[in-house]
Amino acid sequence: MREASNRSNRRVVYETLRRKVLTLELPPGASLSENELAASLGVSRTPVRESLILLGEEGLVRVFPKVGSFVSRVDAERVADAQFLREAVELAAFDDIPETLDPELVAELRANLEHQREARLDLEKFFELDEAFHHGLLRLSGHGRAWSTVVAAKGHLDRARRLGLHETNGMGRFVDEHHSILDAVVAGDTSSARDSLRAHLRAVFDDIEKTRQRSPELFATDDGSVPVRRSIAVWE
């Protein structure tokens, strides 16, 4: 029982830290103290250390010997890889959308879009609705279970998308694009739906570039730089 409890504890700590990284609560470049994280989560250092190792394997955390652990900066190449996978899955799904759509699922997607238009919608709620919308498109094609694979692979992309939303406040634009995609699907025009979805998904690259120009310190570079230790470890 104790071993099962420890595994459950590790999983909760890992998922909590991963969420904090993806939602930018722990922003790119942030220093990570095992002691402070353990205290804030009410756990020992062991599950925190193990979680940081797992996040390091995902490229979301970097560990520098004798310096410390840090949230990784946004890596444009990893973002592009995640975008490639996501686009491949979501576009391919349109090939399997049936002629007769599930009316309840279409109604669910319409309701989702109405919620996306609500005034004063915060970024995280919009992100949640956005994820549900794209998952719903996969469900229309009968490939809803593939969404978990997409989610697992797009951590770097999700950070970039959130940075882009903070930078551009582009929620209204994305809602309009969602409407266009769903309208095309319902009309049976999968060719237009595919073109609209491709453009919609690739918009993240323009948003990333705008964010990079404004806040270059959030992005990985090829210069091999490492943090330096002062009273605390910081990036130069």
Side-chain angles (χ1 to χ4, degrees), residues 38-52:
S40 68
L41 297 173
V43 298
S44 69
R45 290 176 58 188
T46 299
V48 172
R49 185 181 306 113
E50 292 171 341
S51 297
L52 293 180

Side-chain angles (χ1 to χ4, degrees), residues 67-91:
V67 179
S69 299
F70 296 79
V71 178
S72 67
R73 294 173 172 178
V74 177
D75 186 324
E77 290 186 0
R78 286 181 178 268
V79 171
D81 288 342
Q83 172 64 21
F84 174 80
L85 186 149
R86 179 180 187 179
E87 184 177 310
V89 171
E90 292 198 45
L91 293 180

